[in-house]
Structures are given as C-alpha cells and as structure tokens.
Amino acid sequence: MQTAARLGRLRSGLGPAGCDALLVTNLVNIRYLTGFTGSAAMLLVKADRALLVTDGRYAEQSRHELQAAGVQADIEIGDPEAQRRQLGAAAPKGRIGLEAGSVAWSLQRTLAGVFADAELVATDGVVEELRAVKDPGELHRMEVAAGIADEALAQIRTTLTDLQAERELGVELDFRMRRLGARDVSFETIVASGPNGARPHARPSDRRIQAGELIVLDFGALVDGYHSDMTRTVCVGEPASAVLSRMVRVVAEAQRAGVAAVRAGVATWEVDAACRAVIAEAGWADAFVHGTGHGVGLDIHEHPLLSRTSTATLADGFVVTVEPGVYLPEHGGVRIEDTVLVTADGCRPLTHSPKDLVIA
Ligand code: ZN
Ligand code: ZN
C-alpha cells in the first residue's frame, strides 16, 4: 500500500478545504493516513509536519506501524491531558480544520480550549474523498476479501437444500469466511428468507427456510482492514410463485443496467437512475426503498453514495457496489449486489459468485 504518500495528498487538499492544518479524529482516517490501527489517537496534519498523539497502550505499536508504513510523523505518548497539551503546543496560528462528521459536541468544546489561538473550521469528507481512490495494495486486499466471500458461498451452496434456520446458515457463512482467512466478517451477515426478505436489513432469525421462497444473502469478509460486500438471492427449488420469478428477473436486469452504467466520469446518480428505470418500468418503483450503492474500503459504507440525490462523480480507482432490490411484504425480497472497480472505460467486478437463482 502507498500509505506514505497519503499525507502529501492530504496536504494538497488543506487549502481547498479552507484550513492551514487538519486535526484528524476519525480513527479509520488515521489508519488510512498513517497505518496506525489502535483504538485511540488524534493526528494533527500541518503543512510541514504531522503529530500523532496516543496513550501508553500504543507507545510501541504506534512507532512500529508508522515506521512499517514509511510515514513521517512525530509521535507523542501521554494521558488525554498531556495529549491535549502536545496538540496545543504544535498548533499553527491560522485555521485548523476539524472533521465535522466525527467530532462530538463535547470534543469540539474541549478542542476550542486546546486551540484557543486558532480558528476552528468544520470540514467534511476531506480524507474520505482521498480514500475513495484505491491504490494497488488496497485493491489486492479487497480482492482477497471478495474471493473469500465467493468461496464461502460456494462451500455452503449445496447445504442450502438441507433447509436450516436463517441463523444457522448465517453462522455457517461466517465460519467459512473466518476459516478461509477473513480477520472478521464485514458486517452482520444478512440471511433473510420468505417474508423476512422484504426487510432490506433483516437480521438472521430462527425462522426455518422453506423450499420455493426467496433467500437474500448479504455478507462480506474483512481482510487487513478492508471489506467486501456482496448479495445474492437464491431459492431452494423453483420459486413458489410467478411474482417471485418476475421480481428476480427485474432486479437482475436492473443490476446489469446499473453495472453497465458504471464508468469513470459518470455521475453517481446516473448509476442509480439506470437501476431505478428498470424497476419503475416493471411497476415497482416504490418497492426499491434504498439507494443503489456505496463506496467500499476501510469502511463497509464509504464515499461515494450512489443514490438519487448523490452528487459525486465516479473516478478511476473507486470501488463501489451496485445493489438494487425489490421488497414486497406479501411476497418477500430480492437484492443482487456486486462490488466493482471503476475504470476509464467501465468497471471490473471484484465479486464473482454465480447469480443463478435455483438451488436444486
Ligand atoms: Zn451488501
Ligand atoms: Zn452494500
């Protein structure tokens, strides 16, 4: 990973963000910029230097991780009071940006005291926008994570005919991913069968899966901090009704249309519109109750959003999901999701599991 170059890229963004320095408090952003993976730290990035403050638990780890990443930054270790003193002493006089999305009100009040001689300004998404473009090392981790999820699904596919409870199936998927090398699961695995499928973020229940109903499986693996994200909808035997079959056909077509729309330079809302048009044409506009997708990386949901109202433009190196769905409470739900790498002339999928519906 090209971690060492990231502070330089951030510095070029300070001026446009209206600040002379940025205090990074979002731990995922700190990890991105320095390689530090501890659970408590703040990072002050100035035009010429950077200062990481953390506590005694991370004295050894912080030095090791920054050095391994080749990152040039001073490190100060101390209790919260000492950390604030260090930050205050290192502060430039001008405008210091805070990450508005991650600073609690109480912290803002504390920092106003720490940086009493500076002007604090709210910034939004400065580091998150850098994170959207993945470097080769990040892509590699995400491909490994996606490959683990693909393999885990392949391993449990044949056991689906045993018709277990949703929760058992979820545990089995999680276990396979861990066993295949995932550090953890990306998020709580979704196994939603029959009517439960009509809730896009249903949690796996004790409900026993029935033949002929749709099963929405949405899951991912975590590898060295990087997430994968994929949804497949399957059915044990033929779908029990014509409506279920039609839902799957429509969502599959919408998902293909969305993936076909992905290309560097395309507005994120256009990808959403491509999916939405197919579903609206089928008469189910109101049954597609969420956005089309999101960026994936160190966070499972990150910049950019792909929704009706999102204004970002896709760029080469973004990794985003395309995941339209149709949810009908009286029938069930369908969602199909791939994670793709945005390229100059289209996109390349990271998730490769087959999309055939019926498991016999
Ligand atoms: Zn998902
Ligand atoms: Zn997703």
Side-chain angles (χ1 to χ4, degrees):
M1 284 194 293
Q2 298 154 1
T3 309
R6 293 172 185 166
L7 281 175
R9 286 168 58 217
L10 173 60
R11 286 184 174 112
S12 335
L14 293 180
C19 48
D20 304 301
L22 181 70
L23 182 72
V24 186
T25 44
N26 176 327
L27 285 168
V28 177
N29 288 343
I30 292 175
R31 176 177 190 159
Y32 177 76
L33 293 167
T34 67
F36 176 69
T37 61
S39 66
M42 289 189 274
L43 176 71
L44 181 65
V45 182
K46 301 192 286 181
D48 55 344
R49 308 184 72 139
L51 169 66
L52 180 88
V53 295
T54 182
D55 62 72
R57 293 172 297 169
Y58 296 117
E60 168 63 26
Q61 180 182 329
S62 58
R63 273 188 283 274
H64 174 77
E65 289 180 330
L66 267 63
Q67 192 179 28
V71 169
Q72 299 293 326
D74 303 320
I75 299 175
E76 292 290 347
I77 306 295
D79 59 30
E81 178 58 43
Q83 291 179 27
R84 291 197 284 272
R85 269 201 313 276
Q86 294 290 352
L87 287 172
K93 287 280 180 290
R95 293 154 65 91
I96 300 179
L98 300 186
E99 297 182 291
S102 78
V103 174
W105 191 3
S106 56
L107 178 59
Q108 192 277 337
R109 291 167 70 125
T110 302
L111 293 172
V114 171
F115 299 124
D117 297 333
E119 182 190 350
L120 295 185
V121 296
T123 68
D124 182 31
V126 179
V127 182
E128 284 81 352
E129 282 183 26
L130 297 180
R131 281 169 45 191
V133 176
K134 271 60 183 182
D135 72 31
E138 295 182 285
L139 261 183
H140 172 70
R141 287 161 175 79
M142 296 183 72
E143 290 191 294
V144 171
I148 286 173
D150 279 333
E151 176 59 24
L153 179 58
Q155 287 185 4
I156 65 139
R157 249 184 108 83
T158 49
T159 70
L160 277 167
T161 48
D162 297 344
L163 298 173
Q164 315 151 65
E166 292 175 349
R167 222 161 42 78
E168 294 173 274
L169 194 53
V171 167
E172 193 60 31
L173 258 180
D174 294 356
F175 171 73
R176 302 283 176 151
M177 287 193 284
R178 295 291 293 261
R179 190 147 188 189
L180 287 161
R183 179 73 184 73
D184 200 346
V185 296
S186 256
F187 52 90
E188 186 179 4
T189 293
I190 295 171
V191 179
S193 63
N196 291 348
R199 285 181 283 131
H201 273 190
R203 315 180 90 152
S205 73
D206 290 324
R207 183 179 188 280
R208 207 153 264 288
I209 293 164
Q210 319 279 318
E213 64 186 18
L214 301 181
I215 312 161
V216 178
L217 304 166
D218 187 352
F219 60 103
L222 186 69
V223 170
D224 199 13
Y226 286 84
H227 295 261
S228 78
D229 192 7
M230 175 174 73
T231 308
R232 291 292 182 265
T233 299
V234 296
C235 182
V236 175
E238 292 296 327
S241 75
V243 178
L244 296 183
S245 302
R246 180 162 181 261
M247 287 166 72
V248 173
R249 274 200 311 277
V250 167
V251 172
E253 191 191 331
Q255 207 261 348
R256 281 193 296 272
V259 170
V262 172
R263 184 169 19 89
V266 166
T268 45
W269 67 262
E270 293 179 83
V271 179
D272 182 82
C275 291
R276 222 164 275 285
V278 173
I279 292 171
E281 175 73 17
W284 285 325
D286 294 340
F288 178 16
V289 293
H290 52 73
T292 284
H294 53 87
V296 187
L298 284 170
D299 280 316
I300 180 62
H301 294 131
E302 61 178 49
H303 179 78
L305 276 182
L306 285 72
S307 73
R308 239 192 280 242
T309 54
S310 59
T311 54
T313 300
L314 296 175
D316 211 342
F318 279 26
V319 174
V320 299
T321 69
V322 179
E323 48 178 309
V326 164
Y327 309 91
L328 301 174
E330 63 279 25
H331 296 283
V334 179
R335 181 166 63 258
I336 300 172
E337 171 181 34
D338 281 310
T339 299
V340 302
L341 166 67
V342 179
T343 63
D345 50 5
C347 67
R348 176 165 72 74
L350 305 188
T351 43
H352 297 290
S353 290
K355 296 194 176 82
D356 36 324
L357 171 70
V358 175
I359 294 168

